[in-house]
């Protein structure tokens, strides 16, 4: 399958498909004339990549867990649990920090509004 065909089938731009290849997420081989050729499973792999990206995983983590993905990518094999739990913990920590920052900013605005009203 050529890059244009894969792009049309998946709705992913050729530029992104080349990026996925650069990141080691999608494999190709070069046919006659040096054109990229993708395997028959490429549309499924691209959909899995898109599912994992939508879940907020960076390409570095996707590269590590992609071999453990089966089906459409909605359910992952057990070998991914460590990576995913680590990512979830990191996101929880970021949310906690953002909430504290938001609370501090809201308090500052409230104090400034009170001082301006006086």
């Amino acid at each position: 399958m050529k890059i244009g065909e894969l792009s049309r089938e998946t709705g992913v731009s050729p530029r992104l498909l080349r990026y996925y290849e650069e990141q080691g997420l999608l494999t190709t081989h070069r046919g006659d004339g040096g054109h990229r050729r993708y395997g028959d499973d490429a549309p499924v792999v691209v959909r899995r990549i898109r599912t994992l990206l939508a879940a907020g995983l960076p390409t570095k983590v996707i590269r590590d867990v992609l071999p453990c993905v089966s089906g459409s990518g909605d359910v992952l094999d057990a070998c991914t649990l460590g990576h995913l739990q680590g990512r979830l913990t990191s996101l929880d920590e970021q949310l906690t920090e953002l909430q504290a920052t938001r609370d501090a900013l809201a308090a500052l605005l409230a104090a400034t509004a009170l001082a301006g009203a006086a």
Side-chain angles (χ1 to χ4, degrees):
M1 172 179 298
K2 292 181 180 179
I3 195 167
E5 296 168 317
L6 182 58
S7 176
R8 282 188 296 281
E9 186 169 334
T10 60
V12 175
S13 73
R15 181 175 175 232
L16 269 178
L17 294 173
R18 286 189 291 274
Y19 174 75
Y20 296 162
E21 180 185 355
E22 290 170 9
Q23 297 300 306
L25 306 177
L26 188 60
T27 57
T28 64
H29 62 276
R30 300 289 178 157
D32 295 336
H35 296 284
R36 285 178 174 84
R37 300 290 296 182
Y38 296 91
D40 293 338
D41 66 335
V44 172
V45 173
V46 170
R47 282 190 280 280
R48 290 174 182 164
I49 293 167
R50 301 299 295 167
T51 297
L52 295 168
L53 285 168
L57 298 177
T59 56
K60 178 181 146 189
V61 172
I62 293 173
R63 185 175 50 246
D64 293 339
V65 301
L66 200 55
C68 295
V69 178
S70 56
S72 66
D74 294 337
V75 177
L76 305 177
D77 295 338
C79 63
T80 63
L81 293 178
H83 284 291
L84 298 179
Q85 187 59 53
R87 182 68 181 155
L88 183 60
T89 299
S90 175
L91 287 171
D92 286 341
E93 290 168 357
Q94 290 174 10
L95 286 170
T96 299
E97 290 173 12
L98 282 171
Q99 185 63 49
T101 301
R102 187 221 174 271
D103 292 346
L105 180 57
L108 180 61
L109 286 170
T112 303
L114 283 176

